[in-house]
Amino acid sequence: MRFIGTMASMFGLGAVAMPSLVRAGVEAVESGTTGTVADTFLKDAPEFSPEESANIIIRMQRELKQAMRKPIEQRRWVMVIDLRKCTGCGACTISCIAENHLPAGVVYRPVMEEEIGSYPNVSMRSIPRPCMQCETAPCVPVCPVNATWIRKDGIVDMDYDQCIGCRYCMTACPYHARTFDFGYAYTDGTPARQPYEDIPSFEYNKRWSQRRGQSPAGNVRKCHFCVHKLDAGMLPSCVTSCIGYATYFGDASDPDNLVAELISRTNKIRLKEEMGTRPRVYYLI
Amino acid sequence: MLATASAPRLNRIHDYRISLTIAICALLIGAYGVFKVLVLKEHGALTSYVPWGLWVGAYVFLVWLEVGMIISYFILRRYLGVDGLRLLAPVAMLAAISALLGALFVIAMDLGHPFRFWKAYLQPNFGSLMSWMIWLHTLYLVILIAELFAYFKGRDYVDRWKIYLNFLTYISIPFGILLIAVIGGLFGVVAARPFWNASVLPLMFFIASLVAGVGLLTLLHLLFSPTKGTPMYEETAKHMARIFMGAIIIGVVASLANGLVIAYPNVPAHAEGLKLVLFGPYWWTIWIVHLGLGVVVPLLLLTFFRDKLIAIGIAAAFYLIGFTMVPVNIIIPGLAYPMPTMEGVMEAFSHPKLSFEYTPALMEWLVVIFAVGISLLVFTVGYRFIVEPYLREHH
């Protein structure tokens, strides 16, 4: 029962209470009452017993919390996606949309379907495609106004207020991982805009409106490993929502961490490795 | 107005009232597109997978035209000794300035946040070729305006202004070449787009720019040369026709060589863009508009009617119309297909803006019409009130 309760609080924290927590954290940072969102929430992040830590999600949560105690330049965030486990259910896509309040036409983590072979010898696999957070990201140097850069922990960051919307970064990304926010709403063409479309998002630890003409509308957008959640000591939404535990996340700089173990295997690949972009997203095949 | 009853037929076309009327109509019609961009914040038919389209194509076309014209004018005058073009200098500079302004406008409209355009000037990242493009474009514009100013002043203070003019002319050439190379490089360095990356685009852009520039210069000579009615006018036009014909052939050979380099290895990622150009849904833009109207017709006219000025004029006009298809057939096909290993991305999540299919929307055309209206208006007013009175007075 205790385990179930812990799991419920974990998922509840990620799926329901988190936006309000982050919002409160952002407000605290904006009002100058605290240094960072992480300062506010890391102390509140749950502690787990050794038995509970046997669960993968809980283990990753624990490792994340340990990593957050290190200086940012010593963290090396890595995502590992086990394609053998991915069922292609799209829960990660949807939870990402819900977490980041993505408008119509913007997607951070589509799940591609690949058909292999031909009848009668045919099989299929699903390939989730978040931003690869490349170590040598081709999208970064092309930005004419320095609106995108690589953080010290390796996440490719963005400043929506700086982005002029030229879309050069979109042409430079070999993974089609950047989408443009055209300012569309799900209720376009319906009698009334619904209140949920006006709920702000908290990407990059800032409050963003959802109005056409205001950032992030008119900007390029991309997956950021839920950096606002990370800074609050929580796992990205796609990780906690995966029904098959197919997505792993953590700090690969610690050899004892789960992701460090996983990416040391021989069955790992990275997409378009020949381009030399050195993605931080690995796939297990 | 330069038009007189005794002037050749083409001479009447540049009646500024006609030009002004066309410019104002273009601005009025195009205003709706600009309203949609600036007020309604719409971006036409562009998608997240085809993020650049007609507007970027129009920008490249206008820059090709004006830089190519200035460089070809310089080469023809200084190295090939085409003296009949001497008095065309202020017209060419004014045309270049007009085209640059139109180009700058259309590329600003392409931004998701057009009112943040200033950031590209004040907070640039010079590691990005786009920053170089914007800065070079603006500097080049300033140089041309200063050059035109020095040209007009040159008569009154011959020595000092002539030195300025010479200096500005000589620095405008490397700046122009650099601008074209940077724009070509802006596409060519994108390793993620094999169709662009497989070509030597900076060089291709330079050749395309020169060819288009010679075409525009020929047309400008026929329409606006102050030597009209003199034997030199006709002689220069025929001389230009021969050079123009050579330029068209060089352009075709260069494109063919480039296409073969892309197609011959048969690497699907590289060849896919070329297949789209040649056999895709918009095949007619390259075969009929560009190669048919823009290359074959001008070549036939220049071969069989090279002594007739009207034929030379039509050949140049057709060439320029056909040439509009070149930048769009480089830019859009480079984006309009998924990258290798990412083939399933379009089906992975459905939305009209997550598509590799792109057809320019009406509002995109309207914005381009508005930009052309700006260029035409600047040229018409500049010609009527600055260039033409000057030429009338001094020549």
Side-chain angles (χ1 to χ4, degrees), chain A residues 142-143 162-163 167-168 215, chain B residues 48 51 110 116 123 125 128 186:
Chain A
V142 298
C143 178
Q162 180 68 6
C163 173
R167 306 184 291 284
Y168 196 9
S215 285
Chain B
S48 279
D110 187 64
R116 293 183 190 170
Q123 297 166 1
N125 165 24
S128 166
L186 189 144

Side-chain angles (χ1 to χ4, degrees), chain A residues 11-53:
Chain A
F11 281 94
L13 195 66
V16 182
M18 201 292 306
S20 60
L21 282 173
V22 172
R23 191 183 313 134
V26 170
E27 282 163 1
V29 172
E30 285 171 352
S31 65
T33 54
T34 184
T36 64
V37 178
D39 292 339
T40 312
F41 290 113
L42 266 183
K43 65 179 186 300
D44 297 329
E47 296 287 352
F48 301 104
S49 66
E51 315 85 75
E52 288 168 340
S53 297

Side-chain angles (χ1 to χ4, degrees), chain B residues 65-302:
Chain B
L65 273 189
E66 60 86 10
V67 177
M69 181 182 56
I70 293 295
I71 296 172
S72 54
Y73 179 87
F74 182 82
I75 294 169
L76 291 171
R77 276 277 293 120
R78 305 257 170 162
Y79 297 108
L80 297 181
V82 186
D83 284 336
L85 292 177
R86 188 171 64 85
L87 297 178
L88 200 63
V91 180
M93 282 188 270
L94 181 65
I97 291 166
S98 311
L100 272 176
L101 286 170
L104 208 56
F105 174 81
V106 82
I107 206 67
M109 289 296 100
D110 187 64
L111 297 180
H113 288 280
F115 295 115
R116 293 183 190 170
F117 197 61
W118 61 269
K119 285 177 187 278
Y121 291 108
L122 298 184
Q123 297 166 1
N125 165 24
F126 283 115
S128 166
L129 283 177
M130 190 173 280
S131 287
W132 280 94
M133 180 190 85
I134 294 165
W135 268 88
L136 281 171
H137 187 120
T138 311
L139 282 174
Y140 191 62
L141 182 62
V142 171
I143 289 169
L144 284 181
I145 291 170
E147 205 178 330
L148 190 60
F149 184 76
Y151 182 88
F152 290 132
K153 284 283 184 186
R155 287 284 160 171
D156 299 320
Y157 311 98
V158 175
D159 291 330
R160 183 160 58 107
W161 288 103
K162 213 169 182 181
I163 292 168
Y164 291 161
L165 181 62
N166 266 335
F167 172 72
L168 290 167
T169 304
Y170 276 103
I171 62 163
S172 75
I173 300 305
F175 263 90
I177 294 170
L178 199 57
L179 175 59
I180 288 295
V182 161
I183 296 175
L186 189 144
F187 297 98
V189 298
V190 178
R193 307 291 172 172
F195 181 56
W196 296 344
N197 198 230
S199 318
V200 189
L201 280 187
L203 190 60
M204 282 304 298
F205 273 36
F206 183 62
I207 293 170
S209 170
L210 278 184
V211 178
V214 171
L216 182 60
L217 204 56
T218 307
L219 199 60
L220 286 180
H221 171 73
L222 290 170
L223 294 174
F224 298 102
S225 175
T227 60
K228 256 177 206 169
T230 66
M232 184 186 252
Y233 172 72
E234 215 163 302
E235 193 187 309
T236 306
K238 289 172 187 169
H239 193 174
M240 286 297 293
R242 286 194 292 276
I243 294 167
F244 180 36
M245 199 171 164
I248 295 176
I249 292 167
I250 289 171
V252 170
V253 170
S255 304
L256 200 64
N258 192 45
L260 282 173
V261 169
I262 295 172
Y264 190 79
N266 206 19
V267 176
H270 293 187
E272 194 59 36
L274 195 63
K275 280 183 191 163
L276 276 175
V277 173
L278 300 177
F279 313 114
Y282 299 104
W283 60 270
W284 53 271
T285 61
I286 190 86
W287 291 109
I288 296 177
V289 183
H290 177 52
L291 290 175
L293 291 178
V295 174
V296 175
V297 171
L299 281 179
L300 289 174
L301 285 170
L302 294 171

Side-chain angles (χ1 to χ4, degrees), chain A:
Chain A
M1 281 306 290
R2 189 180 167 199
F3 171 73
I4 293 169
T6 308
M7 288 303 291
S9 69
M10 274 293 303
F11 281 94
L13 195 66
V16 182
M18 201 292 306
S20 60
L21 282 173
V22 172
R23 191 183 313 134
V26 170
E27 282 163 1
V29 172
E30 285 171 352
S31 65
T33 54
T34 184
T36 64
V37 178
D39 292 339
T40 312
F41 290 113
L42 266 183
K43 65 179 186 300
D44 297 329
E47 296 287 352
F48 301 104
S49 66
E51 315 85 75
E52 288 168 340
S53 297
N55 178 280
I56 284 171
I57 294 282
I58 291 173
R59 176 180 172 186
M60 288 190 290
Q61 172 72 46
R62 179 171 49 78
E63 290 170 354
L64 176 82
K65 198 175 167 187
Q66 284 169 358
M68 290 302 290
R69 293 195 178 101
K70 296 199 294 191
I72 186 168
E73 60 274 10
Q74 289 178 19
R75 297 173 213 149
R76 185 180 154 228
W77 298 126
V78 155
M79 184 171 281
V80 183
I81 302 171
D82 193 336
L83 296 184
R84 299 162 305 179
K85 288 183 174 181
C86 177
T87 62
C89 68
C92 54
T93 311
I94 301 303
S95 76
C96 170
I97 289 169
E99 173 62 41
N100 295 297
H101 297 170
L102 300 185
V106 176
V107 63
Y108 288 174
R109 189 180 159 107
V111 180
M112 301 185 295
E113 302 289 352
E114 186 184 16
E115 205 174 285
I116 301 156
S118 55
Y119 180 83
N121 302 312
V122 64
S123 58
M124 198 168 150
R125 71 176 170 190
S126 305
I127 309 172
R129 195 248 41 215
C131 170
M132 300 290 142
Q133 316 290 349
C134 306
E135 277 183 52
T136 49
C139 56
V140 169
V142 298
C143 178
V145 291
N146 290 310
T148 187
W149 63 92
I150 300 176
R151 285 180 15 146
K152 288 175 182 170
D153 57 2
I155 293 173
V156 179
D157 207 340
M158 271 203 74
D159 182 350
Y160 288 149
D161 288 328
Q162 180 68 6
C163 173
I164 59 176
C166 70
R167 306 184 291 284
Y168 196 9
C169 54
M170 294 170 75
T171 68
C173 175
Y175 305 99
H176 300 297
R178 287 175 174 250
T179 49
F180 188 69
D181 187 339
F182 288 90
Y184 284 1
Y186 292 100
T187 48
D188 282 345
T190 64
R193 186 180 170 95
Q194 296 302 308
Y196 72 85
E197 306 230 61
D198 294 325
I199 297 171
S201 73
F202 294 93
E203 293 175 86
Y204 306 107
N205 293 318
K206 285 185 184 173
R207 183 198 304 270
W208 301 103
S209 79
Q210 302 291 320
R211 286 285 175 184
R212 182 173 272 200
Q214 292 174 21
S215 285
N219 290 130
V220 175
R221 302 179 69 171
K222 62 178 263 309
C223 154
H224 37 71
F225 279 173
C226 282
V227 72
H228 56 288
K229 289 188 74 179
L230 282 186
D231 286 347
M234 288 181 270
L235 290 164
S237 276
C238 54
V239 177
T240 53
S241 62
C242 181
I243 62 165
Y245 297 114
T247 301
Y248 309 94
F249 184 84
D251 173 22
S253 68
D254 185 340
D256 294 330
N257 280 357
L258 178 61
V259 289
E261 290 172 22
L262 293 172
I263 63 171
S264 66
R265 294 182 184 174
T266 53
N267 63 333
K268 64 144 195 312
I269 60 159
R270 293 189 284 189
L271 291 184
K272 296 170 83 77
E273 197 140 19
E274 73 282 0
M275 292 203 73
T277 51
R278 294 193 285 171
R280 291 175 205 274
V281 176
Y282 293 79
Y283 294 88
L284 299 181
I285 54 172

